[in-house]
Amino acid sequence: EHQRILRFDAPPGADYDQNDDQREHLVKWLFTRFCPATDMHLLRYLLSQEIAHAQFLKFCTSPLRALALLIFENGELGDVPQLWDLHSASDDLRDGFELQFLCGKGWGTTVSYLKDIGLLQAAQALNRARDCEYLGEWHSATRSHFHEAFGDDQRVG
């Protein structure tokens, strides 16, 4: 039942997702109270639904970027291909979804992993994006942005 009310659901011919508001509310809650031990499955499910939503809209939403930041902080290298697919889906999505989101395990580790699994185009893109080597300032600014946007002064969890 919960997956039904949280999944991306745009009726045929519609230009909206009827479950967008429920997901956004849950993303805001999850962002401020995330617990890796219990919430990774929910995080990955919500991320998959927000990716479908972004591909439908042809731009990145704030909930998608917040979920990607949680993946950056808590995810595994196995999460990177899905994020790369989103980044490379269109020019609009590429412009709205920073490559830094892929580098939660570090720039060099991520580049090596992408080469190992055969995603050479992704590895080359990260090699060209030298600012991905310096993630501290980007991470701090991005996290601060969401704390302000979601009305939360500090992360609980």
Side-chain angles (χ1 to χ4, degrees):
E1 176 65 17
H2 294 303
Q3 285 186 344
R4 184 187 62 74
I5 64 171
L6 295 175
R7 79 171 173 252
F8 170 72
D9 189 8
D15 60 354
Y16 65 93
D17 168 15
Q18 60 191 20
N19 293 330
D20 180 34
D21 290 339
Q22 291 93 328
R23 276 196 321 276
E24 184 171 359
H25 179 74
L26 183 56
V27 167
K28 288 177 182 180
W29 178 88
L30 187 65
F31 189 82
T32 59
R33 291 163 183 85
F34 185 74
C35 175
T38 59
D39 295 337
M40 284 306 293
H41 180 73
L42 175 61
L43 171 59
R44 288 186 176 109
Y45 178 76
L46 287 172
L47 180 68
S48 72
Q49 299 310 298
E50 282 300 314
I51 286 173
H53 188 215
Q55 290 171 331
F56 173 77
L57 295 173
K58 307 270 190 275
F59 67 85
C60 288
T61 62
S62 287
L64 172 60
R65 295 180 79 247
L67 292 169
L69 183 63
L70 289 174
I71 288 287
F72 172 90
E73 294 171 346
N74 303 285
E76 301 168 359
L77 285 170
D79 296 314
V80 172
Q82 183 179 29
L83 297 175
W84 169 252
D85 288 344
L86 171 67
H87 175 79
S88 60
S90 73
D91 288 342
D92 292 331
L93 290 171
R94 187 175 304 110
D95 291 343
F97 192 77
E98 299 98 314
L99 278 171
Q100 286 92 328
F101 283 119
L102 280 67
C103 299
K105 296 300 179 194
W107 177 79
T109 301
T110 303
V111 169
S112 294
Y113 170 76
L114 290 168
K115 287 178 182 177
D116 289 347
I117 65 169
L119 283 175
L120 300 180
Q121 187 178 12
Q124 291 167 349
L126 285 178
N127 273 330
R128 287 190 303 272
R130 301 308 284 185
D131 53 342
C132 288
E133 291 182 69
Y134 310 101
L135 296 167
E137 187 175 313
W138 172 85
H139 178 239
S140 178
T142 304
R143 176 153 276 291
S144 293
H145 164 78
F146 285 111
H147 282 304
E148 292 170 18
F150 295 162
D152 180 46
D153 293 331
Q154 63 183 354
R155 183 173 179 197
V156 179

